[in-house]
Amino acid sequence: MTEHPPIDKTAVRNASTVIVLRDRETTPRVLMGQRGAKAAFMPNKFVFPGGAVDHTDGDIHLKARPPSPCLDRLQDDAPAGLAHALAVAAIRELWEETGLVLGTPGTWASTPHEDWRDFAATGFIPDARALQFVFRAITPPGRPRRFDARFFLVDAASVVSDLDDFSAASDELSHLQWVSLEDARSFDMPFITEVVLSEIQARVDQPSPPDSVPFFKNNDEESLFLRLQGNRDAITQPR
């Protein structure tokens, strides 16, 4: 077994968040849950499923990767190879926190890592072709936890399990529920979640990935609003 160094919880960690959008042609709803009162990061807030990338996520085989425009934008201002781990983390976090499966029927070629055994037992292999990269934000300095979070939009039609069955979910999020976009802002949620919701609302009628991805880049020197264009040399501020 490979030994990994302990996690530095004060460092900015890469993370994936998943916005599952349901009934987009009638009454659009997104899946949200509430973080625990004792959570170090955003206690009691309603959020989308998601979490930090694990050391082993880069080793997990995907049946299919996210669409190429999204892969290009994931690689903007990011280490080589991270895009794959981010996609894997998105599928894993969705499974762990909600019990929903994003995958293709199949048998794993080798014994799954411990974090993936329950997922593999469903008879599916992780499949990232439905992940649309739509937003990126770095937690501002001074917070107890900081993340460089990539937000993925997934149409609920791509989920292969029962959309209303959360029985396999962990207890990290409570009160899992489908929230209409019209009612979502009445919930107690982080500011960045409200911003992402506005982006999702604007994309309800647009099934294709966005031409560019908003990026709130907060560091110790300044806070910038950038757009990721799919080219490492084309990270620009909007005019």
Side-chain angles (χ1 to χ4, degrees):
M1 179 180 295
T2 304
E3 293 291 333
H4 296 289
I7 295 172
D8 180 3
K9 294 185 177 180
T10 65
V12 178
R13 299 181 63 193
N14 291 300
S16 296
T17 298
V18 185
I19 306 109
V20 186
L21 178 62
R22 184 177 186 177
D23 303 325
R24 66 193 305 163
E25 295 180 356
T26 53
T27 307
R29 294 181 287 165
V30 290
L31 182 59
M32 304 188 76
Q34 187 177 30
R35 293 183 58 79
K38 296 182 179 179
F41 187 69
M42 298 182 179
N44 293 316
K45 299 291 186 180
F46 274 85
V47 296
F48 306 117
V53 174
D54 282 351
H55 292 300
T56 58
D57 285 336
D59 300 328
I60 302 299
H61 172 72
L62 289 170
K63 180 66 176 179
R65 302 187 302 175
S68 57
C70 297
L71 278 176
D72 293 341
R73 288 154 202 149
L74 283 169
Q75 293 174 119
D76 280 356
D77 198 22
L82 180 61
H84 177 88
L86 288 165
V88 171
I91 297 171
R92 177 181 52 75
E93 288 287 340
L94 180 66
W95 162 252
E96 291 176 354
E97 295 192 348
T98 72
L100 298 185
V101 176
L102 201 59
T104 295
T107 302
W108 289 56
S110 58
T111 302
H113 184 273
E114 182 179 357
D115 290 344
W116 287 88
R117 288 176 186 168
D118 290 341
F119 185 101
T122 66
F124 290 91
I125 300 170
D127 188 325
R129 76 187 76 196
L131 293 175
Q132 292 190 5
F133 177 39
V134 295
F135 205 92
R136 178 178 175 183
I138 299 178
T139 310
R143 305 296 172 84
R145 298 283 189 275
R146 295 190 67 200
F147 297 95
D148 188 345
R150 282 73 164 186
F151 293 79
F152 295 93
L153 176 63
V154 172
D155 193 296
S158 299
V159 175
V160 295
S161 53
D162 185 340
L163 292 173
D164 297 307
D165 182 4
F166 306 128
S167 60
S170 68
D171 59 0
E172 190 163 346
L173 292 181
S174 61
H175 306 297
L176 283 165
Q177 58 191 285
W178 293 98
V179 181
S180 75
L181 291 180
E182 290 184 358
D183 297 336
R185 285 177 178 77
S186 66
F187 288 70
D188 183 11
M189 64 181 66
F191 166 73
I192 197 61
T193 304
E194 293 189 35
V195 175
V196 175
L197 273 171
S198 295
E199 187 72 15
I200 298 306
Q201 201 150 23
R203 298 207 56 77
V204 166
D205 298 327
Q206 303 177 46
S208 300
D211 292 332
S212 63
V213 174
F215 177 18
F216 276 109
K217 187 175 184 179
N218 294 294
N219 54 38
D220 294 330
E221 291 78 33
E222 57 188 345
S223 296
L224 299 173
F225 176 64
L226 311 173
R227 296 198 76 89
L228 304 174
Q229 312 256 12
N231 184 320
R232 283 181 178 273
D233 298 322
I235 303 173
T236 60
Q237 291 181 260
R239 295 179 182 178

